[in-house]
Amino acid sequence: MKKLVGHYGAPLLMILPSILLIGIFVYGLLGVNFWTSMTDNHSAAQASGRKPVAFVGLTNYIELLLTEDFRHSLANLVLFTVTFLVGAMAMGFLWAWLLERPLRGGRLFQTIYLFPMAVSFVASGVVWRWLLNSNQGENASGLNRLFQMVGLDFLQNPWWNNITFGIVAIALPAIWQLSGYVMALFLAGFRGVPDELREAARMDGASEWQVYRMVIFPQLTPVLMSAIVIIAHMSLKSFDLIMSISSAAAYQTKVPAVDMFLFKSGFDYANSAAVGAFLLIIIAFLIVPYLVQQHRSRTR
Amino acid sequence: MQRRNFLVLSGAGLAAASLAACGGSGGSGGGESSSEVEVFTWWAQGSEKAGLDALVAQFEKDYPDLTFVNASVAGGAGSAAKDMLQSRLQAGDPPDTFQAHAGLELADYIDAGQLEDVSDLYEEYGLTDAFPDDLVTLLTLDDQIYSVPSNIHRSNVVWTNVAVLEAAGIDPSVVPADVEAFIADVEKAAASGVTGLSIGTTWTQVNLLEAVLMADLGSESYNGLWTGETDWSGGDVTTALEHFGALIELTNTDRDGLDWTDATQMQIDGEAAYSIMGDWAVASFQQADLKDGEDFGYFPLSGGEAIFGFLADSFTLPVGAPNPDGAKAWLDTISSQEGQVGFSLAKGSIPARTDVDTEEFPAYQQTAIESYAQDAICPSLAHGAATPVAWLNDVSDATSKFTTGASDVAGFQEELATIAESNASA
């Protein structure tokens, strides 16, 4: 016992504050959120404790799923995530693949591609809001105007004002901002493959394509996994980008995070918490498999 | 070794952070000098800031031993401020007084037990006689009054660009008799190659919706929409929603990306003929050096009856305010004749008091003062006078759905009826 305290005592004491803080402010509040989401706390009087709050189980979740508007938000979220993920992956990988080979000015391009990540979503949202102006024809501005000027008129479209696919337009700035980051991840992955392995493969008579397919790509899997998890959870957190391009009430770009904000501002804490719980569950679906995989590869 | 170093460092960092946190809360708790009055608003720029500055100047003259502390939060036409205020009230850390739209927007705060009844102050400061009876009725909820208005705004004003109208062959001095005549004019203007009606993001669309509802339904039916006396599924509402749809068809297609200032700017630049916006738009025209009557015109949207779409900025006394006497002093200043005139002159609104000298006011405000005294008063939906916040949020969602084309008139009306039902029973 004494030995155990001697061995673990000091380190435990050191990390105790963070365990406590994380326990209360992350996991404790997660618990509060789940509790709130299962009550009928829908009004200002209940939110401030003047009227009683009752436990209603999963009623809020079910009612949310039954409303067409919330399903529209979820569909938007899926569309946004898929576009964002595929776009950022494809662009990032392409750039990394092009820059992986020694190239004059390669460093410069790396910096240029990585730079948008330094800009906040809110700041870039203000610019993209103008670029994605939905006017066409005579009054066009932003990208639509650019298409006109270069004679690509058929590319003009209402961007984020399309009811069904509007949210995809908002994925464009998100892709623009994060593909540089994906590129950096993949570049690090490429650089992590020792030259000896490539040389050995070439000595064995592998073509350039075979070198990539059989030697390099398999070693990029961990990078690919981290990139997917990072981009996917960023897409759930794109509230600021969506709000600075569109607005909270705009139907065409509603996502669950916006619903959460609106419920909260209308003193409907229970529904707000329920939407938050939905978001957490969605993230868990993405992240838990990743953590499991990480754990396995570490303990292997 | 490295890991141990890291642990020591992170532990030290946490300790420092928690110390700093203690110091921070101790510091703000210690600053309880009773001479400070913290006033929470969303008036952070433009004509609104000018109005606040005018109030502060008056306040310092009236109460030289009190210090004004500006707690304004900018952004989102007040939504950022309201969100922050909600957190502060919930945490039991209210400012001494905060800005709110008079009317049912206050209902949530009252339900939450966060506001003091200020009816006594109305007696003390002699406001019951100074304010018109209609206003006092609108401010009274369950026989109690929870806020003191600093000024009045009108929400249902049609603004015109005179030159654009003349180019389209419309006589700018003729006021359309009803909504249908107005739509015909907008169509005529749109046919001349400009945007017929310029509009911005969702709340400005709700502002248009309420103006059309007021004009088509008349004051009594319109007011009944919020009390349950008027049926949302009725035929006259259908007509109004059809009119609303027809007007939206004539607006700029990039509306959802614009704020009201952008929509007004389109008129100032001669790109749009009409807009419907509250009377704070007059400040934009004046700042652009357009001349009243020559370059821009205005009239209330009407279906025959003269209606004043009402909203008011007002101040409250939160429960648990650190300095309630200071807050009362602030309420005294904003409700005094000097305070109301100074503020309204700077912000482009009109005083809520009827006993002030109005000669100083510019032409637009003169007409508004006159109509305010005569016309039927309808509470504004878009600005929190008619409904609690949740109801307005739901209507905004439904309106956005309709204007993006995700629902038709029948679907829109059905949704509005459902919203009214669920919110009235809540």
Side-chain angles (χ1 to χ4, degrees), chain A residues 47-48 69 129 135 251-252 254, chain B residues 90 253 256-257 397 400-401:
Chain A
S48 69
D69 289 1
R129 178 194 179 117
N135 274 344
Y251 177 77
Q252 58 273 54
K254 277 251 166 85
Chain B
Q90 208 72 29
T253 47
D256 284 324
D397 282 358
S400 169
K401 211 167 157 181

Side-chain angles (χ1 to χ4, degrees), chain B residues 144-412:
Chain B
Q144 290 178 320
I145 306 178
Y146 294 91
S147 69
V148 178
S150 54
N151 63 308
I152 303 283
H153 274 300
R154 180 173 207 171
S155 68
N156 61 338
V157 188
V158 180
W159 302 91
T160 63
N161 180 318
V162 172
V164 173
L165 291 199
E166 276 168 353
I170 302 165
D171 182 354
S173 62
V174 176
V175 175
D178 55 22
V179 181
E180 236 148 74
F182 175 62
I183 295 174
D185 279 355
V186 179
E187 271 169 354
K188 207 167 165 187
S192 77
V194 293
T195 300
L197 183 70
S198 66
I199 202 165
T201 186
T202 310
W203 75 261
T204 66
Q205 296 164 19
V206 176
N207 199 112
L208 171 66
L209 174 68
E210 80 178 34
V212 173
L213 281 171
M214 279 176 202
D216 274 340
L217 297 181
S219 60
E220 222 183 294
S221 286
Y222 172 86
N223 291 345
L225 289 173
W226 317 115
T227 56
E229 282 156 29
T230 306
D231 184 7
W232 273 98
S233 341
D236 43 356
V237 176
T238 315
T239 315
L241 295 183
E242 274 163 1
H243 286 160
F244 175 67
L247 283 170
I248 286 289
E249 286 295 305
L250 295 163
T251 60
N252 41 309
T253 47
D254 61 347
R255 51 185 174 256
D256 284 324
L258 304 182
D259 206 348
W260 75 267
T261 43
D262 304 315
T264 307
Q265 192 62 41
M266 286 177 70
Q267 279 195 289
I268 293 171
D269 295 342
E271 291 166 16
Y274 292 97
S275 74
I276 294 187
M277 186 34 59
D279 58 8
W280 45 92
V282 74
S284 296
F285 289 106
Q286 284 160 354
Q287 276 159 18
D289 279 329
L290 296 194
K291 283 201 185 64
D292 190 334
E294 282 173 46
D295 300 319
F296 73 97
Y298 41 81
F299 53 84
L301 185 66
S302 156
E305 187 188 3
I307 292 176
F308 188 97
F310 156 90
L311 65 134
D313 294 306
S314 67
F315 283 89
T316 58
L317 182 57
V319 171
N323 184 4
D325 291 329
K328 282 175 189 165
W330 174 259
L331 294 180
D332 180 27
T333 295
I334 61 132
S335 62
S336 69
Q337 292 186 345
E338 295 82 6
Q340 297 234 322
V341 171
F343 178 79
S344 283
L345 277 175
K347 198 191 169 198
S349 54
I350 63 171
R353 296 179 74 112
T354 47
D355 59 350
V356 293
D357 189 14
T358 56
E359 268 170 31
E360 282 179 74
F361 283 93
Y364 167 74
Q365 272 115 310
Q366 297 279 4
T367 66
I369 289 167
E370 202 176 304
S371 341
Y372 178 59
Q374 296 168 356
D375 299 356
I377 289 180
C378 288
S380 160
L381 163 67
H383 302 281
T387 64
V389 182
W391 193 338
L392 171 59
N393 279 351
D394 289 349
V395 172
S396 302
D397 282 358
T399 308
S400 169
K401 211 167 157 181
F402 176 68
T403 56
T404 50
S407 60
D408 56 6
V409 169
F412 187 26

